[in-house]
Amino acid sequence: MEILIVEDEKQIVELIRTSLEAEGYRCLSASNGLDALKVFRSRQPDILLLDIGLPGQLTGLEVCTRIRQEPGVNPFIIMLTARICEIDRIIGYSSGADDYISKPFSPKELAVRLRAVVGRRDRGKRVQGRKNEILSPHFIIDLDARQVMMQKGVKLELVTDLSTVEFDVLVLLASEKGRVRTREELLDLLKGLDFVGDMRAIDGIIYRLRKKISPDGDREKFIKTHFGIGYSFKDEREEVAINEASDITSTKTFTR
Ligand code: CA
């Protein structure tokens, strides 16, 4: 595994490099956004550790967005941030980051996070085979970028405010439409993804997830409750009358 460390503080780069090389990773580094893109294009690393606050023309978020738009390999991107503000997390995920780690962090914490993120992708691949998208009448769930696009009228919109665990639950349910997952099952699956919590947390996650993907207030529209058992995902195709020919392209994307 090759890791590109994008960070302008030399001391932090060296600290990360030493600890990751001890774990068997190969490390590259870049100290600004433009260099990061250059190294990324020539070496195609598996993972990027990307500082948000970079000197020069491109911020870490812009580097992240650009890399997600590039064809070819789709690396893991972990943002490094000194700011722990929730809004940063939201912007980071919507620009395509897979995970976040707040400075200061210990080398051990970083190593654990890396293992979790890599394991998550491997598991996702095994479930989905070569496809890294779940397609459903109202949703496109991109497992690599960890992004959800949702149909609103005839348009596709990015769901920007899903937390890591809400995304994981949506993927677990939507990957097998109609299959009822018990709370115990969901909790076990999440624990495999390094989630810490209990059964009541599952109901809380479902509650918040529903609010975010069912803005019209129809709670059961996509996630059905099976009382005393658990939850399932349902998503049926609807006849959509397209009167305004405004956004035919995204409708096409949807019905492929
Ligand atoms: Ca910095």
Side-chain angles (χ1 to χ4, degrees):
M1 285 254 173
E2 199 159 49
I3 301 188
L4 170 57
I5 307 161
V6 188
E7 165 67 78
D8 56 303
E9 284 163 74
K10 284 211 170 65
Q11 269 182 313
I12 297 182
V13 174
E14 288 318 308
L15 197 76
I16 295 176
R17 184 194 289 276
T18 310
S19 70
L20 292 185
E21 284 179 349
E23 293 264 323
Y25 297 97
R26 285 189 306 278
C27 295
L28 306 163
S29 65
S31 59
N32 63 59
L34 287 175
D35 279 350
L37 289 176
K38 264 186 225 157
V39 178
F40 172 73
R41 284 170 192 145
S42 63
R43 298 294 295 265
Q44 308 266 292
D46 307 286
I47 300 171
L48 263 84
L49 295 178
L50 189 51
D51 184 27
I52 286 194
L54 291 172
Q57 295 173 25
L58 294 174
T59 67
L61 290 172
E62 284 162 337
V63 173
C64 184
T65 306
R66 291 207 188 183
I67 283 175
R68 287 299 184 225
Q69 288 163 351
E70 302 233 333
V73 297
N74 203 0
F76 263 113
I77 301 181
I78 300 179
M79 305 296 293
L80 309 178
T81 176
R83 296 167 279 175
I84 321 166
C85 175
E86 187 65 17
I87 197 78
D88 284 335
R89 293 176 65 93
I90 292 166
I91 295 168
Y93 285 126
S94 65
S95 59
D98 292 289
D99 203 357
Y100 254 89
I101 189 160
S102 315
K103 289 186 216 171
F105 53 85
S106 70
K108 196 175 174 191
E109 188 186 353
L110 178 62
V112 167
R113 208 67 87 80
L114 275 172
R115 276 198 291 271
V117 129
V118 173
R120 194 154 66 200
R121 168 172 284 189
D122 288 346
R123 269 189 292 269
K125 276 207 172 131
R126 241 175 278 143
V127 174
Q128 289 298 314
R130 283 172 159 220
K131 266 204 236 158
N132 273 316
E133 267 182 351
I134 298 173
L135 299 177
S136 169
H138 292 83
F139 296 93
I140 295 174
I141 305 173
D142 182 334
L143 299 176
D144 285 336
R146 295 182 64 79
Q147 285 184 340
V148 179
M149 300 289 286
M150 193 182 170
Q151 194 172 22
K152 297 257 178 77
V154 295
K155 292 191 177 175
L156 275 177
E157 274 179 21
L158 189 66
V159 181
T160 53
D161 54 353
L162 289 183
S163 69
T164 306
V165 74
E166 288 157 11
F167 180 87
D168 289 336
V169 166
L170 180 62
V171 169
L172 290 171
L173 292 174
S175 57
E176 283 180 84
K177 267 201 322 173
R179 172 170 171 182
V180 182
R181 296 277 195 184
T182 64
R183 287 182 181 77
E184 290 90 341
E185 232 181 312
L186 285 171
L187 188 60
D188 277 353
L189 288 164
L190 287 179
K191 280 184 173 163
L193 303 175
D194 301 299
F195 171 77
V196 182
D198 61 11
M199 299 264 276
R200 271 178 311 175
I202 300 293
D203 295 325
I205 294 162
I206 295 279
Y207 174 80
R208 290 188 296 276
L209 179 57
R210 275 176 166 156
K211 266 172 89 170
K212 292 172 187 176
I213 63 172
S214 313
D216 55 0
D218 181 2
R219 292 172 61 245
E220 298 266 328
K221 185 166 183 184
F222 300 118
I223 298 174
K224 197 166 182 258
T225 303
H226 300 264
F227 283 103
I229 307 170
Y231 301 96
S232 68
F233 185 80
K234 57 167 188 167
D235 186 8
E236 273 121 40
R237 202 175 291 282
E238 289 159 18
E239 291 301 318
V240 184
I242 306 164
N243 296 322
E244 316 94 306
S246 58
D247 211 336
I248 298 289
T249 40
S250 51
T251 315
K252 268 189 189 151
T253 323
F254 233 99
T255 49
R256 73 190 142 151

